[in-house]
């Protein structure tokens, strides 16, 4: 969110000193800090017509812009008051109160014309304040509008005689609001009530005719109709009795005419709701710095005797903002590269990839902050600067890699150089030892991280610088005596034979160990097999015993059942025999009795 600017009071924007219009640096400093879009409302009118009172109301204050209380003009030049917009968030309302036109003490119509033209050029809503009704006198006093084409150019044309179309002015002219103070008439036309806007439209009707008088009558009306397509009118009753006007800024609303209070409220509400953001041709929204550039460009043109030209103004503004956009893009690129790049990079491609990402983001920053970059001139300038930045980084990367590698070589190879100085390799076989140590150190060097793109080149340069040392060690090795070499060979053979004998012994020990291990394995296998057979035999006997027991139990059961059956049969036969004996005994006893 952009910070709001809320000035405690108005400041002079353009001073009118001895007929010369001069910009106030303090006011420009204030504008440069406003990053929000601005809605610019400027008020112009004859001196002592109450312009400042309306502007104080728009600022939401009872006082601020000087009202004055005499027939002398109080406001000199153009004064500015920046406040937060009450109805448009993230917008700043810039109020411009202008020096009263037609001041008899000043007696300088040229100066008044420029004040009028500047108010039109700088504002998005232009308020013309006058007293009484819209009559021919009021129109005559508004002659400044007829001079606008002599004060302002829309295009930078080489043909001074070329007439510019009113449509060119309409594209950048503000909305027009006419405020009529101390209005005493009834708003009627042909006996019917009309609105203030209809009254303005009626007052701007043209006369049919071609006489000089008709042309004089029509000219200001025609200019207002052509240059300001959007028009609005407000009428205000007299706020208080004339004698109290000097204390107007001290009076409360309750002490003012209620109609006047309501009319002022309606005026403020309209300005707050309908005044547009200051916009240049092409839809370029104006913020504080852009308004600052407009002020400087217009005043410079007036001071040099030229006419303010909208086309040149926009080009000048584009020059300023596109230059700033390039600076912002470069600053973003530097920030991103500073955060992402750690020199030296392992490869050149790594650096180029980081550059490409930062370059893309920088271009996006430029596109966001630039406008009207004709023929992509500033974008091309940005591209040239980014290429230079890339080349600088490549150079820095190369230097950083060289420094890093040189330091590594010094750290890794300095012990070897000391050993060479001590003559450690000046002996038979010293060359081989030296080469082996050299290879080990090269391997250690290669294993070090982040050496950068100069790693191999710096190493080869170093090794080349040490070739004379290597050759000297080799020559020393070659001049060793044959005997020393033979002793070395015999020693090598003895070491080889000893190594062979030791190897045979070790093989025999390994063979013995293997045989013992096989025997142990065999015995363990036999033991496990025997235990298995015993377990299986025990299981078989146990199974046979269970089977035999089962068979015996079955036979016993069958025998028991059989015995039980025979016993039953025997008892039955005994019972039959007993019955038979009983019967025979009865017959015997019967016979005995008979006898």
């Amino acid at each position: 969110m952009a910070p709001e600017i809320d000035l405690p009071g108005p400041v002079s924007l353009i001073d009118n000193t001895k007929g010369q219009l001069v910009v106030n640096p303090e006011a420009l400093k204030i504008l440069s800090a406003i990053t929000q879009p601005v809605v610019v409302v400027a008020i112009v009118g004859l001196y002592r017509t109450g312009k400042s009172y309306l502007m104080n109301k728009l600022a939401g204050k009872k006082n601020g812009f000087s009202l004055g209380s005499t027939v002398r003009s109080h406001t000199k030049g153009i004064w500015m008051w920046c406040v937060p917009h009450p109805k448009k968030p993230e917008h700043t309302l810039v109020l411009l109160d202008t020096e009263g036109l037609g001041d008899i003490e000043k007696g300088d119509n040229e100066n008044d014309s420029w004040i009028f033209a500047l108010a039109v050029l700088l504002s998005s809503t232009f308020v013309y304040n006058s007293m009484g009704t819209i009559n021919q006198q009021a129109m005559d006093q508004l002659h400044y509008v007829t001079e606008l084409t002599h004060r302002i150019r829309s295009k930078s044309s080489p043909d001074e005689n070329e007439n510019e179309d009113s449509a060119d002015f309409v594209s950048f002219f503000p909305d027009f609001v006419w405020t009529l103070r101390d209005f005493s008439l009834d708003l009627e036309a042909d006996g019917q009530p009309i609105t203030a806007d209809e009254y303005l439209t009626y007052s701007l009707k043209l006369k049919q005719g071609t006489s000089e008088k008709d042309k004089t009558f029509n000219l200001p009306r025609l200019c207002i109709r052509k240059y300001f397509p959007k028009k609005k009118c407000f009428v205000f009753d007299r706020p208080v009795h004339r004698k109290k006007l000097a204390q107007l800024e001290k009076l409360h609303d309750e002490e003012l005419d209620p109609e006047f209070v309501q009319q002022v409220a309606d005026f403020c509400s309209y300005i707050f709701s309908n005044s547009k953001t200051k916009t240049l041709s092409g839809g370029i929204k104006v913020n504080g710095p852009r308004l600052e550039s407009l002020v400087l460009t217009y005043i410079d043109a007036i001071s040099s005797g030229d006419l303010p030209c909208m086309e040149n103004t926009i080009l000048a503004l584009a020059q300023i903002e596109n230059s700033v956009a390039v600076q912002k893009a470069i600053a973003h690129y530097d920030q991103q590269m500073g955060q992402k790049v750690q020199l030296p990079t392992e490869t050149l491609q790594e650096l180029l990839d980081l550059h490409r990402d930062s370059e893309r983001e920088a271009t996006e920053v430029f596109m966001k902050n630039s406008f009207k970059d004709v023929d992509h001139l500033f974008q091309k300038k940005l591209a040239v600067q980014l290429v230079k930045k890339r080349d600088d980084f490549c150079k820095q990367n190369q230097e950083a890699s060289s420094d890093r590698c040189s330091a590594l070589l010094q750290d890794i190879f300095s012990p070897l150089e000391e050993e060479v100085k001590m003559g450690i390799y000046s002996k038979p076989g010293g060359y081989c030892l030296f080469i082996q140590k050299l290879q080990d150190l090269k391997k250690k060097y290669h294993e070090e991280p982040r050496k950068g793109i100069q790693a191999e080149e710096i190493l080869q340069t170093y090794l080349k610088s040490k070739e004379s040392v290597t050759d000297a060690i080799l020559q020393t090795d070659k001049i060793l005596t044959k005997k020393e070499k033979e002793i070395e060979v015999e020693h090598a053979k003895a070491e080889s034979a000893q190594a062979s004998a030791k190897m045979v012994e070790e093989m025999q020990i390994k063979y013995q160990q293997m045989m013992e291990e096989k025997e142990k394995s065999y015995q363990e296998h036999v033991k496990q097999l025997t235990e298995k057979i015993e377990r299986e035999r025990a299981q078989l006997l146990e199974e046979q015993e269970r089977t035999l027991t089962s068979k015996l139990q079955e036979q016993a059961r069958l025998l028991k059942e059989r015995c039980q059956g025979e016993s039953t049969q025997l008892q039955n036969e005994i019972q039959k025999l007993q019955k038979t004996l009983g019967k025979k005994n009865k017959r015997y006893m019967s016979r005995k009795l008979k006898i």
Side-chain angles (χ1 to χ4, degrees):
M1 178 182 295
E4 290 186 343
I5 299 295
D6 190 359
L7 296 181
V11 295
S12 174
L13 175 62
I14 300 173
D15 294 324
N16 184 5
T17 306
K18 296 181 180 180
Q20 294 294 318
L21 301 178
V22 181
V23 179
N24 178 16
E26 289 300 317
L28 296 181
K29 185 177 180 181
I30 293 170
L31 287 177
S32 67
I34 302 175
T35 58
Q36 298 177 338
V38 293
V39 176
V40 186
V41 179
I43 191 166
V44 173
L46 296 181
Y47 75 103
R48 304 306 309 130
T49 55
K51 303 185 302 301
S52 299
Y53 178 83
L54 291 180
M55 298 306 274
N56 287 338
K57 285 296 183 181
L58 289 176
K61 308 287 180 160
K62 291 187 64 175
N63 50 48
F65 289 113
S66 177
L67 300 188
S69 59
T70 67
V71 295
R72 298 181 65 186
S73 173
H74 250 235
T75 304
K76 298 295 182 182
I78 298 178
W79 284 67
M80 173 186 75
W81 198 348
C82 303
V83 295
H85 199 290
K87 287 192 177 182
K88 290 184 178 181
E90 297 296 307
H91 284 68
T92 296
L93 178 62
V94 179
L95 303 173
L96 301 180
D97 189 14
T98 63
E99 176 178 331
L101 306 177
D103 186 355
I104 55 176
E105 290 186 1
K106 185 170 53 178
D108 187 355
N109 288 333
E110 179 82 5
N111 193 269
D112 287 348
S113 296
W114 282 125
I115 293 288
F116 190 95
L118 283 170
V120 170
L121 288 169
L122 295 175
S123 65
S124 51
T125 296
F126 177 83
V127 180
Y128 180 71
N129 189 72
S130 67
M131 302 293 289
T133 62
I134 301 177
N135 52 26
Q136 189 56 38
Q137 181 183 1
M139 284 294 176
D140 291 341
Q141 291 170 344
L142 195 54
H143 65 90
Y144 305 102
V145 74
T146 66
E147 301 172 5
L148 284 175
T149 55
H150 304 296
R151 301 287 172 183
I152 302 171
R153 285 186 297 155
S154 63
K155 295 180 179 179
S156 177
S157 174
D159 186 358
E160 296 181 357
N161 297 320
E162 181 183 352
N163 292 321
E164 296 185 281
D165 194 330
S166 61
D168 296 329
F169 293 98
V170 169
S171 65
F172 60 86
F173 269 23
D175 295 339
F176 181 85
V177 177
W178 196 331
T179 54
L180 298 169
R181 310 296 292 276
D182 296 352
F183 188 80
S184 57
L185 297 180
D186 292 330
L187 287 174
E188 290 184 356
D190 301 327
Q192 298 295 322
I194 59 175
T195 64
D197 291 340
E198 290 171 335
Y199 173 65
L200 175 60
T201 302
Y202 177 81
S203 301
L204 295 177
K205 283 185 177 180
L206 304 179
K207 279 187 177 181
Q208 300 298 322
T210 58
S211 67
E212 287 299 320
K213 186 177 182 180
D214 292 334
K215 290 180 181 179
T216 302
F217 178 89
N218 289 336
L219 182 58
R221 292 170 173 80
L222 186 62
C223 289
I224 293 174
R225 290 170 58 159
K226 287 172 62 178
Y227 298 153
F228 304 102
K230 186 175 181 180
K231 296 173 284 293
K232 183 72 178 174
C233 182
F234 287 93
V235 297
F236 298 88
D237 292 350
R238 175 169 289 193
V240 290
H241 189 275
R242 183 179 61 83
K243 292 183 178 180
K244 289 186 177 182
L245 287 176
Q247 292 84 36
L248 185 58
E249 64 183 2
K250 299 178 182 179
L251 299 178
H252 297 287
D253 286 350
E254 296 79 8
E255 301 175 78
L256 304 178
D257 185 293
E259 286 290 330
F260 175 79
V261 173
Q262 184 59 49
Q263 290 161 351
V264 171
D266 292 342
F267 166 76
C268 292
S269 177
Y270 174 84
I271 295 297
F272 294 150
S273 300
N274 295 276
S275 291
K276 299 175 292 187
T277 301
K278 176 65 177 174
T279 306
L280 304 178
S281 60
I284 303 166
K285 293 189 180 299
V286 176
N287 55 15
R290 288 177 177 173
L291 185 59
E292 174 193 10
S293 297
L294 292 179
V295 172
L296 285 171
T297 303
Y298 295 147
I299 294 299
D300 287 346
I302 294 171
S303 299
S304 62
D306 293 333
L307 298 182
C309 173
M310 283 307 300
E311 185 177 43
N312 289 343
T313 298
I314 293 175
L315 288 177
L317 186 59
Q319 289 274 342
I320 295 171
E321 295 221 359
N322 290 338
S323 296
V324 173
V326 170
Q327 294 172 8
K328 287 182 177 179
I330 292 297
H332 183 82
Y333 174 87
D334 290 340
Q335 180 189 37
Q336 292 300 306
M337 290 295 282
Q339 292 174 353
K340 295 176 181 178
V341 177
Q342 183 180 354
L343 299 179
T345 58
E346 203 65 52
T347 64
L348 176 61
Q349 191 60 47
E350 178 185 345
L351 177 63
L352 293 178
D353 289 342
L354 292 173
H355 160 78
R356 191 177 300 107
D357 292 342
S358 300
E359 180 185 40
R360 184 185 66 254
E361 291 184 20
T363 303
E364 290 173 357
V365 169
F366 171 79
M367 298 301 291
K368 181 180 178 182
N369 291 278
S370 66
F371 73 95
K372 286 193 175 296
D373 184 13
V374 180
D375 298 328
H376 305 291
L377 179 63
F378 284 90
Q379 188 171 354
K380 291 174 182 176
K381 289 182 178 179
L382 172 62
V384 170
Q385 292 189 44
L386 290 177
V387 168
K388 186 177 183 301
K389 290 277 185 182
R390 180 202 64 193
D391 294 343
D392 288 343
F393 267 106
C394 288
K395 183 179 179 181
Q396 293 174 33
N397 191 42
Q398 189 172 3
E399 291 173 352
S401 177
S402 297
D403 294 343
R404 161 79 171 154
C405 294
S406 297
L408 277 176
L409 289 173
Q410 177 65 26
D411 183 57
I412 293 173
F413 285 86
S414 58
L416 178 62
E417 293 178 2
E418 288 299 320
E419 290 175 352
V420 171
K421 290 178 182 179
M422 294 169 61
I424 291 178
Y425 301 103
S426 299
K427 60 182 180 181
Y431 177 74
C432 292
L433 293 175
F434 175 79
I435 293 300
Q436 181 60 49
K437 185 65 177 286
L438 196 63
Q439 293 300 326
D440 292 342
L441 294 180
K442 285 166 61 177
K443 181 179 179 183
K444 183 179 180 181
Y445 171 81
H446 284 131
E447 289 173 350
E448 287 290 334
R450 303 205 67 81
K451 295 185 295 296
I453 59 176
Q454 293 293 100
E456 195 60 32
E457 182 177 339
I458 296 297
L459 175 62
Q460 295 304 321
T461 301
Y462 173 81
L463 294 177
K464 189 172 183 62
S465 69
K466 301 300 179 183
E467 284 182 354
S468 59
V469 176
T470 305
D471 291 341
I473 293 174
L474 177 60
Q475 292 303 318
T476 301
D477 200 0
K478 283 183 176 181
I479 63 174
L480 291 175
T481 62
K482 183 178 181 182
K483 184 63 177 176
E484 288 175 327
K485 288 190 175 182
E486 289 176 355
I487 291 173
E488 186 177 347
V489 170
E490 289 298 325
H491 181 68
K493 287 181 180 180
E495 286 184 348
S496 177
Q498 185 179 0
S500 298
K502 186 176 181 180
M503 184 178 66
V504 170
E505 182 181 353
E506 289 176 351
M507 289 179 63
Q508 288 176 346
I509 292 172
K510 288 182 180 178
Y511 176 75
Q512 183 65 29
Q513 289 174 343
M514 288 177 60
M515 293 304 294
E516 290 175 356
E517 184 63 28
K518 283 184 179 180
E519 180 62 25
K520 288 179 182 179
S521 177
Y522 172 74
Q523 293 299 331
E524 181 65 25
H525 179 71
V526 170
K527 179 181 177 182
Q528 291 177 352
L529 183 60
T530 302
E531 289 175 351
K532 181 178 180 183
I533 292 173
E534 289 298 327
R535 285 196 300 272
E536 289 178 349
R537 181 181 298 170
Q539 290 175 355
L540 180 60
L541 289 174
E542 186 179 350
E543 183 65 28
Q544 289 176 348
E545 185 177 348
R546 281 198 300 270
T547 301
L548 180 59
T549 301
S550 177
K551 286 183 179 180
L552 290 175
Q553 288 176 347
E554 181 65 20
Q555 289 178 358
R557 186 183 63 77
L558 293 174
L559 181 60
K560 182 178 180 181
E561 289 178 354
R562 180 178 176 185
C563 290
Q564 288 176 348
E566 289 178 354
S567 174
T568 302
Q569 184 178 1
L570 182 59
Q571 286 177 356
N572 290 337
E573 288 180 357
I574 290 173
Q575 288 176 357
K576 286 181 183 180
L577 182 58
Q578 286 176 346
K579 288 180 181 181
T580 303
L581 287 176
K583 287 179 182 181
K584 285 183 178 184
N585 188 35
K586 284 181 180 181
R587 282 196 301 269
Y588 173 75
M589 290 301 294
S590 177
R591 286 176 184 171
K592 186 175 180 182
L593 289 173
K594 285 179 181 183
I595 295 173

